[in-house]
């Protein structure tokens, strides 16, 4: 596996993030949940369906009944 990937497009950025979340690339990311998603402290996800392979950054708010999959959200 390459140690470098060009993430210059949104599609490549999501691909690289998916590789990190799936553990295909070694990283120092915090632990992921059972869906392979990373939900940072300080985010609000009450009632939302998160995952698989989603990142919800700190200070993000996801509404009830929303579904976030294969996505990266930051404030």
């Amino acid at each position: 596996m390459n140690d470098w990937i060009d993430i210059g497009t949104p599609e490549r950025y999501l691909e690289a993030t998916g590789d990190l979340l799936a553990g295909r690339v070694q990283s120092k990311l915090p632990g992921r949940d059972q869906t392979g998603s990373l939900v940072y402290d300080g985010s609000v996800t009450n009632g939302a369906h998160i995952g698989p392979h989603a990142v919800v950054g700190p200070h993000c708010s996801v509404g009830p009944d929303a579904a976030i999959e294969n996505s990266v959200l930051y404030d």
Side-chain angles (χ1 to χ4, degrees), residues 41-65:
D41 290 338
S43 62
V44 178
T45 60
N46 293 339
H49 170 78
I50 307 295
H53 300 130
V55 176
V56 180
H59 312 295
C60 288
S61 179
V62 181
D65 301 319

Side-chain angles (χ1 to χ4, degrees), residues 4-75:
W4 184 87
I5 184 172
D6 180 359
I7 58 169
T9 66
E11 294 82 12
R12 296 293 288 174
Y13 179 79
L14 285 175
E15 179 183 344
T17 300
D19 288 343
L20 287 167
L21 292 173
R24 290 187 288 269
V25 177
Q26 190 174 10
S27 75
K28 294 181 182 181
L29 285 176
R32 274 73 80 198
D33 67 13
Q34 66 276 8
T35 70
S37 296
L38 176 55
V39 179
Y40 282 88
D41 290 338
S43 62
V44 178
T45 60
N46 293 339
H49 170 78
I50 307 295
H53 300 130
V55 176
V56 180
H59 312 295
C60 288
S61 179
V62 181
D65 301 319
I68 306 297
E69 299 176 348
N70 301 308
S71 300
V72 178
L73 303 175
Y74 283 109
D75 58 347

